[in-house]
Amino acid sequence: MGTRPAEIAVPARLRVGVLALQGDFREHAQVLRELGVNVALVRRPEELDQIDGLVIPGGESSVMDKLARTFGLAEPLRAAIRGGLPVYGTCAGLIMLADTILDGMDGQQGLGGLDIAVRRNAFGSQTASFETDLDIPALGDQPVHAVFIRAPVVETVGPKATALAALADGRCVAVQQGNLLGTSFHPEITGEYRFHEYFLQKLIAAAR
Amino acid sequence: MTESTSAEQFGSSRVKRGFAEMLKGGVIMDVVTAAQARIAEDAGAVAVMALERVPADIRSQGGVARMSDPDLIDSIIAEVNIPVMAKARIGHFVEAQILEVLGVDYIDESEVLSPADYVNHIDKWNFTIPFVCGATNLGEALRRINEGAAMIRSKGEAGTGDVSEATKHIRTINGEIKRLSSMSRDELYVAAKELQAPYELVAEIAATGKLPVVLFTAGGVATPADAAMMMQLGADGVFVGSGIFKSGNPEQRAAAIVKAVTFYDDAKVIADVSRGLGEAMVGINVSDIAEPHRLATRGW
């Protein structure tokens, strides 16, 4: 299962942050390191200055939101995203990047950036979590094995965003918009490197 | 864009263990009412554990401790958006069946409740819902994983506010993992025998240097400093039972523990969040509890 990392020429000076407030940030850091990237864990506002891109991991989006606001990360992050910082979010990270959050907590604030409406925990309790194969032509012929864990779905894709993948029932589970990428599922825990590679290509282009 | 055609697979090991990965760096809080669940969620809990009495009360009131009333669990599920866990007695597979149909997200097969079977644990492979189980050492953790546990929590001594047993158990588990990493194959066969655990799991841990599932710490955590110490000792996250709602100011203490777990290696943050929290739970020294009344010895 999974794919081998491809040969991407990653510039040595490139640093990619992983938001490390809560969740499976170590798994993302590991995938990025295997792709030859310098990784920085980000928990403080000043740590945002040093990075060329950011990954927001899976976890509990409401907890990340609270901690990001409490420790002064939310506003600088919003500004950085508006300024073109490449960001890839998985699951909770996708929720953080959505302009509109449905079924969020009272007062939950995302970072925004993706012109989408995301429904939090769209499938129900953990017994409804599942794994499946997705055909994603943008990533090649081999299907992507995707794990959905109390996952969100993209309910509305606005005109600025583009859908990349859908479930058999048509619900959208991966999107991109400019330098932003988001998936409902977790490539970081299945040995799937192609989403991170795809993100790195955006990032390398943006850093040029 | 095209659509997927392949079948969906529910309740696989990857889905069960993967869920625990998403809880890492978080705090799971014991709650006995919907109102407490609300406080826990607002404070930044990554999940709540629904139960009828916190371990400190089970300890002081005595009697048989069982799975909670389904109405209570329903009310907590209805109150919060974060995942809800609930406890079943060791070996009580029917309590587990009930919790699964109630739509709980994770079952804790827990020594805090009175065991229902002194020989067998629940066959956790039979369920779609994932299980977390307690362990005091690596052998116990591996036996639980072999039975299908998708997450392990070191036991500590629940309901005491005394963190010393939690420290001992996380140190023991991680120390035993380190020892396996340095062994040759002939030694691993003996290690498997001594750990009373399957050789395949022992060999896997020797090769990877870590458990194949997420490891949280529990039992006696009462302060932000306790929680941060568990993280520095290698825990992936922390369960806090009686420590929050048996303290003077649960809202503030809960939020402080959440912050201390995220910034577990930053003493300045931990110092800041430790200020003015009011009284911690009074607690009992584990050394003052007679052996038969210790919860950590339940489960084998």
Side-chain angles (χ1 to χ4, degrees), chain A:
Chain A
M1 193 71 65
T3 50
R4 305 295 308 160
E7 298 289 321
I8 299 185
V10 180
R13 60 181 170 74
L14 201 75
R15 272 163 67 90
V16 178
V18 181
L19 191 67
L21 296 171
Q22 190 272 318
D24 72 336
F25 50 86
R26 286 196 190 86
E27 282 60 34
H28 277 289
Q30 182 60 30
V31 170
L32 290 168
R33 285 193 192 104
E34 285 174 35
L35 291 169
V37 177
N38 268 323
V39 178
L41 296 182
V42 173
R43 290 180 296 180
R44 300 173 181 84
E46 60 270 25
E47 290 161 347
L48 285 173
D49 302 337
Q50 328 278 325
I51 56 170
D52 302 295
L54 181 72
V55 173
I56 306 180
E60 180 48 57
S61 61
S62 64
V63 175
M64 289 183 205
D65 169 48
K66 285 188 187 88
L67 289 167
R69 282 190 276 154
T70 305
F71 289 94
L73 263 168
E75 272 315 317
L77 256 176
R78 278 189 198 109
I81 292 169
R82 275 197 303 271
L85 180 76
V87 184
Y88 173 29
T90 61
C91 196
L94 168 69
I95 297 172
M96 295 287 280
L97 287 175
D99 281 344
T100 306
I101 302 170
L102 308 169
D103 288 344
M105 316 291 167
D106 289 345
Q108 182 169 354
Q109 299 169 17
L111 300 167
L114 286 172
D115 181 17
I116 57 171
V118 158
R119 188 170 299 280
R120 197 184 153 282
N121 193 22
F123 298 90
S125 78
Q126 169 64 12
T127 49
S129 295
F130 61 95
E131 50 185 308
T132 191
D133 284 336
L134 299 174
D135 291 322
I136 305 180
L139 299 184
D141 292 340
Q142 199 192 343
V144 169
H145 191 72
V147 179
F148 293 82
I149 296 168
R150 281 178 51 102
V153 294
V154 180
E155 225 160 75
T156 314
V157 182
K160 290 183 222 152
T162 310
L164 282 177
L167 293 167
D169 63 11
R171 286 190 283 181
C172 173
V173 290
V175 289
Q176 64 176 340
Q177 178 181 336
N179 288 335
L180 304 178
L181 180 66
T183 59
S184 300
F185 49 89
H186 297 279
E188 74 276 11
I189 63 167
T190 52
E192 170 63 69
Y193 294 86
R194 285 175 291 173
F195 269 99
H196 291 81
E197 287 164 0
Y198 190 70
F199 176 60
L200 282 177
Q201 282 158 4
K202 281 178 183 292
L203 202 149
I204 291 165
R208 252 180 213 133

Side-chain angles (χ1 to χ4, degrees), chain B residues 157-218:
Chain B
E157 187 57 35
T160 60
D162 179 348
V163 81
S164 62
E165 290 293 292
T167 306
K168 182 164 102 188
H169 297 155
I170 188 94
R171 278 192 188 275
T172 301
I173 292 169
N174 284 331
E176 287 172 317
I177 290 172
K178 273 188 211 134
R179 268 200 298 286
L180 287 186
S181 303
S182 66
M183 286 182 184
S184 59
R185 196 154 78 167
D186 47 0
E187 293 170 324
L188 287 176
Y189 292 121
V190 182
K193 184 189 76 182
E194 286 168 353
L195 288 167
Q196 299 176 51
Y199 171 75
E200 291 69 25
L201 268 177
V202 170
E204 181 185 342
I205 284 153
T208 61
K210 60 188 188 67
L211 287 181
V213 303
V214 164
L215 173 64
F216 269 47
T217 295

